Coordinates of all heavy atoms in Angstrom, one line a residue:
E117 N 40.4 57.7 5.6 CA 39.7 57.2 4.4 C 38.2 56.8 4.7 O 37.4 56.9 3.8 CB 40.5 56.0 3.9 CG 40.4 55.8 2.4 CD 41.4 54.8 1.8 OE1 42.6 55.0 1.9 OE2 40.8 53.7 1.4
E118 N 38.0 56.3 5.9 CA 36.6 55.9 6.2 C 35.8 57.1 6.7 O 34.6 57.2 6.3 CB 36.7 54.9 7.4 CG 35.4 54.6 8.1 CD 35.6 54.0 9.5 OE1 36.8 53.8 9.9 OE2 34.6 54.0 10.2
V119 N 36.3 58.0 7.5 CA 35.5 59.1 8.2 C 35.4 60.3 7.4 O 34.3 60.9 7.3 CB 36.2 59.4 9.5 CG1 35.4 60.5 10.2 CG2 36.1 58.2 10.4
V120 N 36.4 60.8 6.7 CA 36.4 62.1 6.0 C 35.3 62.2 4.9 O 34.5 63.1 4.8 CB 37.8 62.5 5.4 CG1 37.6 63.7 4.6 CG2 38.7 62.7 6.6
P121 N 35.2 61.1 4.0 CA 34.1 61.1 3.1 C 32.7 61.2 3.7 O 31.8 61.8 3.1 CB 34.3 59.8 2.3 CG 35.7 59.4 2.5 CD 36.0 59.9 3.9
K122 N 32.5 60.6 4.8 CA 31.2 60.6 5.5 C 31.0 62.1 6.1 O 29.9 62.5 5.9 CB 31.2 59.6 6.7 CG 31.0 58.1 6.1 CD 30.9 57.2 7.3 CE 30.9 55.8 6.8 NZ 30.7 54.8 7.9
I123 N 32.0 62.6 6.7 CA 31.8 64.1 7.1 C 31.4 64.9 5.9 O 30.5 65.8 6.0 CB 33.1 64.5 7.8 CG1 33.3 63.8 9.2 CG2 32.9 66.0 8.1 CD1 34.6 64.1 9.8
S124 N 32.1 64.7 4.8 CA 31.8 65.5 3.6 C 30.4 65.3 3.1 O 29.7 66.3 2.9 CB 32.8 65.2 2.5 OG 32.6 66.0 1.3
E125 N 30.0 64.1 3.1 CA 28.6 63.7 2.6 C 27.6 64.4 3.5 O 26.6 65.0 3.1 CB 28.4 62.2 2.6 CG 27.0 61.8 2.1 CD 26.8 60.3 2.2 OE1 27.8 59.6 2.5 OE2 25.6 59.9 2.1
Y126 N 27.7 64.1 4.8 CA 26.7 64.6 5.8 C 26.7 66.2 5.9 O 25.6 66.7 6.1 CB 26.9 63.9 7.1 CG 26.8 62.4 7.1 CD1 27.5 61.6 8.0 CD2 26.1 61.8 6.1 CE1 27.4 60.2 7.9 CE2 26.0 60.4 6.1 CZ 26.7 59.6 7.0 OH 26.7 58.2 6.9
A127 N 27.8 66.8 5.9 CA 27.9 68.2 5.9 C 27.3 68.8 4.7 O 26.8 70.0 4.8 CB 29.3 68.7 6.1
N128 N 27.2 68.2 3.6 CA 26.7 68.7 2.4 C 25.2 68.2 2.1 O 24.6 68.4 1.0 CB 27.5 68.3 1.2 CG 28.8 69.1 1.1 OD1 28.8 70.3 0.7 ND2 29.9 68.5 1.4
T129 N 24.6 67.6 3.1 CA 23.3 67.1 3.0 C 22.3 67.7 4.0 O 22.7 67.8 5.2 CB 23.2 65.5 3.3 OG1 24.2 64.9 2.4 CG2 21.8 64.9 3.0
Q130 N 21.3 68.3 3.6 CA 20.3 68.9 4.4 C 18.9 68.8 3.8 O 18.8 68.6 2.6 CB 20.7 70.3 4.8 CG 20.6 71.3 3.6 CD 21.1 72.7 3.9 OE1 21.6 72.9 5.0 NE2 20.7 73.7 3.2
N131 N 17.8 69.0 4.6 CA 16.6 69.1 4.1 C 16.4 70.3 3.3 O 16.9 71.5 3.7 CB 15.5 69.1 5.2 CG 15.5 67.7 5.9 OD1 15.6 66.7 5.3 ND2 15.2 67.8 7.2
K132 N 15.8 70.2 2.1 CA 15.6 71.3 1.2 C 14.8 72.4 1.9 O 13.8 72.2 2.5 CB 14.9 70.9 -0.1 CG 14.8 72.0 -1.1 CD 14.1 71.6 -2.4 CE 14.0 72.7 -3.3 NZ 13.1 72.3 -4.5
V133 N 15.2 73.7 1.7 CA 14.5 74.8 2.2 C 13.8 75.5 1.0 O 14.5 75.9 0.0 CB 15.3 75.8 2.9 CG1 14.4 77.0 3.4 CG2 15.9 75.1 4.1
N134 N 12.5 75.5 0.9 CA 11.8 76.1 -0.2 C 11.8 77.6 -0.1 O 11.8 78.2 1.1 CB 10.4 75.5 -0.3 CG 10.3 74.1 -0.6 OD1 11.2 73.5 -1.4 ND2 9.4 73.3 0.0
A135 N 11.6 78.3 -1.2 CA 11.6 79.7 -1.2 C 10.4 80.3 -0.2 O 10.6 81.2 0.5 CB 11.4 80.3 -2.5
A136 N 9.3 79.5 -0.2 CA 8.1 79.9 0.5 C 8.4 79.8 2.0 O 7.8 80.6 2.8 CB 6.9 79.2 0.1
D137 N 9.3 79.0 2.4 CA 9.6 78.7 3.8 C 10.2 80.0 4.5 O 10.0 80.2 5.7 CB 10.6 77.6 4.0 CG 10.0 76.2 3.6 OD1 8.8 76.1 3.6 OD2 10.8 75.4 3.3
F138 N 10.9 80.8 3.8 CA 11.5 82.0 4.3 C 10.5 83.1 4.8 O 10.8 84.0 5.5 CB 12.5 82.6 3.3 CG 13.6 81.8 3.0 CD1 13.9 81.2 1.8 CD2 14.6 81.5 4.1 CE1 14.9 80.4 1.5 CE2 15.7 80.7 3.8 CZ 15.8 80.1 2.5
F139 N 9.2 83.0 4.3 CA 8.2 84.0 4.6 C 7.3 83.5 5.8 O 6.3 84.1 6.1 CB 7.4 84.3 3.4 CG 8.2 84.9 2.3 CD1 8.7 84.1 1.3 CD2 8.6 86.3 2.3 CE1 9.5 84.7 0.3 CE2 9.3 86.8 1.3 CZ 9.8 86.0 0.3
A140 N 7.6 82.4 6.4 CA 6.8 81.7 7.4 C 6.5 82.8 8.6 O 5.4 82.7 9.2 CB 7.3 80.5 8.0
N141 N 7.4 83.7 8.9 CA 7.2 84.6 10.1 C 6.7 86.0 9.7 O 6.8 86.9 10.5 CB 8.5 84.7 10.8 CG 8.8 83.3 11.5 OD1 8.0 82.6 12.0 ND2 10.1 82.9 11.4
H142 N 6.3 86.2 8.4 CA 5.8 87.4 8.0 C 4.5 87.7 8.7 O 3.6 86.7 8.9 CB 5.6 87.4 6.5 CG 5.2 88.7 5.9 ND1 3.9 89.2 6.0 CD2 6.0 89.6 5.2 CE1 3.9 90.4 5.4 NE2 5.2 90.7 4.9

Side-chain angles (χ1 to χ4, degrees):
E117 211 171 293
E118 169 202 351
V119 176
V120 173
K122 287 183 180 176
I123 294 173
S124 178
E125 178 187 349
Y126 300 150
N128 284 287
T129 305
Q130 63 180 20
N131 292 323
K132 184 183 176 188
V133 179
N134 296 324
D137 294 337
F138 293 114
F139 299 96
N141 294 317
H142 189 280

